[in-house]
Amino acid sequence: MALSRGLRCCQRVFSWIPVLIITAVVLWSYYAYVFELCLFTITNTLEKVAYLLMFHICFVMFFWTYWKSIFTPPATPCKKFQLSYSDKQRYDLEERPDAQKQILVEISKKLPISTRAQSGAIRFCDRCQVLKPDRCHHCSVCETCVLKMDHHCPWVNNCVGFSNYKFFLLFLSYSMLYCVFIAASVFQYFFKFWGDLPNGPAKFHVLFLMFVALMFFISLMFLFGYHCWLVAKNRSTLEAFSAPVFISGADRNGFNVGIRKNLEQVFGENRRLWLIPVFTSQGNGHHFPLKNHSSASQNPLLPNEDMWDESDDGSEEGSLGEFTSVFVMY
């Protein structure tokens, strides 16, 4: 028991290493750009002020979105999806798998659940003892179920899901903007240091700054492009690899309700807040509109959705719990 706790403690400590690496690189880039380039190299005062102003805007937005991606708690299933004491006893005492499945079917009729396991059974997490809402998955790293789980990202040491997916997308976009601005403004001095200007500390920092900015931009460009495609299709990373299963069968486009509505699910209806890292995503993460409403109406569980919404007074407050998700290294 003590060994297990020690291993978990070490795992938690080591999980912060990627975050520390990113933080160290960004802080070094701040020093190299602000001090070595702007203060010690650039002589034109107007150019210096303009570069410093634009750089700090990019820097603040980058760190704001990075902070929100790391420290926003994950959304977890509310209490209505947990087994009651009597249902849990009945489920545990029942030894027949078919009977256990039937118990879960009876309980799920009170909830807005439209997806199924690959076997066609109600999706149930034995470790968390909850019926999984649509698009919810269990993270083996964080050891909990996460609403609309996308993946577990080691670079933010957090799960990317319903509660912080918008922040993660903004983090990628502002990271790209940060890299583009650095590369564009350093470009002329990169060639000057490469040929004309004498050797010195600034030369190393400016040359290396250019290479690092371009390297990160290229890698982020592909990742950001992939997630833009996912948002346009209304899929998570997990759903892109394994299509969600409905009553009628597996359908990768089951939650695709059109590009505009797909964007609004992530960023909200107020477009003035789309680029600001504040939570504006639609819904509470427990159920989502389906592509084909006619097929959805054939699902005997969905007619209870309105009843569930009306009685769910505290679902949004209870949905923000601890973070988790599947481990995906970029």
Side-chain angles (χ1 to χ4, degrees):
M1 194 69 177
L3 179 61
S4 177
R5 290 180 179 177
L7 291 175
R8 286 184 182 179
C9 183
C10 291
Q11 182 182 13
R12 290 173 182 172
V13 172
F14 287 126
S15 65
W16 285 101
I17 291 179
V19 176
L20 294 176
I21 292 174
I22 295 296
T23 303
V25 171
V26 172
L27 291 178
W28 165 79
S29 71
Y30 183 91
Y31 167 79
Y33 191 91
V34 172
F35 292 93
E36 296 293 346
L37 178 66
C38 291
L39 298 183
F40 301 153
T41 302
I42 298 177
T43 56
N44 187 298
T45 304
L46 183 60
E47 182 183 8
K48 183 182 301 187
V49 171
Y51 280 2
L52 286 173
L53 179 62
M54 291 301 299
F55 174 81
H56 280 92
I57 292 174
C58 296
F59 182 81
V60 168
M61 295 307 297
F62 165 80
F63 249 111
W64 188 5
T65 53
Y66 193 40
W67 177 276
K68 296 284 282 187
S69 299
I70 296 173
F71 295 106
T72 298
T76 57
C78 68
K79 292 182 179 179
K80 292 182 183 294
F81 287 83
Q82 297 176 357
L83 294 183
S84 65
Y85 179 76
S86 57
D87 289 333
K88 188 176 185 304
Q89 273 196 325
R90 191 157 59 104
Y91 181 83
D92 291 339
L93 291 174
E94 183 58 65
E95 297 180 354
R96 295 170 298 172
D98 291 340
Q100 287 183 328
K101 291 180 181 179
Q102 187 58 38
I103 292 173
L104 295 178
V105 169
E106 293 174 5
I107 300 171
S108 66
K109 289 180 179 179
K110 305 174 185 178
L111 302 169
I113 299 177
S114 58
T115 54
R116 297 289 187 272
Q118 293 292 334
S119 63
I122 297 296
R123 301 193 311 133
F124 179 73
C125 181
D126 287 314
R127 286 164 287 187
C128 297
Q129 293 292 296
V130 297
L131 279 76
K132 294 180 181 178
D134 295 344
R135 315 185 82 172
C136 176
H137 297 275
H138 184 89
C139 174
S140 59
V141 177
C142 302
E143 300 180 350
T144 188
C145 287
V146 177
L147 296 179
K148 197 185 176 183
M149 184 180 72
D150 189 87
H151 68 284
H152 184 92
C153 179
W155 300 108
V156 299
N157 191 29
N158 211 339
C159 280
V160 177
F162 174 74
S163 62
N164 72 336
Y165 190 53
K166 175 188 174 181
F167 306 146
F168 179 74
L169 292 175
L170 291 179
F171 160 63
L172 294 180
S173 61
Y174 283 119
S175 298
M176 290 176 59
L177 180 62
Y178 184 74
C179 292
V180 167
F181 175 77
I182 288 178
S185 56
V186 168
F187 187 74
Q188 59 173 314
Y189 297 96
F190 173 81
F191 283 103
K192 287 181 179 180
F193 275 113
W194 193 267
D196 301 337
L197 297 181
N199 293 330
K203 181 175 183 177
F204 163 77
H205 287 290
V206 170
L207 293 178
F208 197 57
L209 194 60
M210 184 72 178
F211 284 119
V212 171
L214 289 176
M215 179 185 67
F216 272 90
F217 171 75
I218 292 171
S219 60
L220 287 168
M221 179 178 63
F222 289 106
L223 181 61
F224 180 70
Y226 175 66
H227 278 279
C228 286
W229 177 77
L230 289 177
V231 172
K233 295 290 186 179
N234 204 340
R235 299 176 191 169
S236 66
T237 299
L238 293 177
E239 291 165 353
F241 287 96
S242 179
V245 179
F246 300 88
I247 295 291
S248 57
D251 185 2
R252 292 187 188 277
N253 295 312
F255 297 106
N256 188 351
V257 291
I259 293 180
R260 183 177 65 84
K261 291 185 178 179
N262 293 342
L263 286 170
E264 289 178 350
Q265 281 190 26
V266 177
F267 294 99
E269 296 181 358
N270 189 348
R271 298 190 179 186
R272 290 176 296 181
L273 298 177
W274 279 18
L275 300 180
I276 307 298
V278 294
F279 183 80
T280 55
S281 301
Q282 292 181 337
N284 57 19
H286 290 83
H287 57 89
F288 302 87
L290 301 179
K291 175 189 68 174
N292 191 342
H293 292 284
S294 60
S295 64
S297 63
Q298 298 173 3
N299 187 341
L301 304 184
L302 291 184
N304 297 288
E305 181 175 326
D306 294 335
M307 177 189 70
W308 183 83
D309 282 341
E310 292 174 2
S311 61
D312 186 19
D313 297 328
S315 62
E316 290 191 22
E317 295 179 7
S319 67
L320 294 177
E322 297 179 0
F323 237 109
T324 51
S325 201
V326 116
F327 201 109
V328 174
M329 291 290 289
Y330 300 129

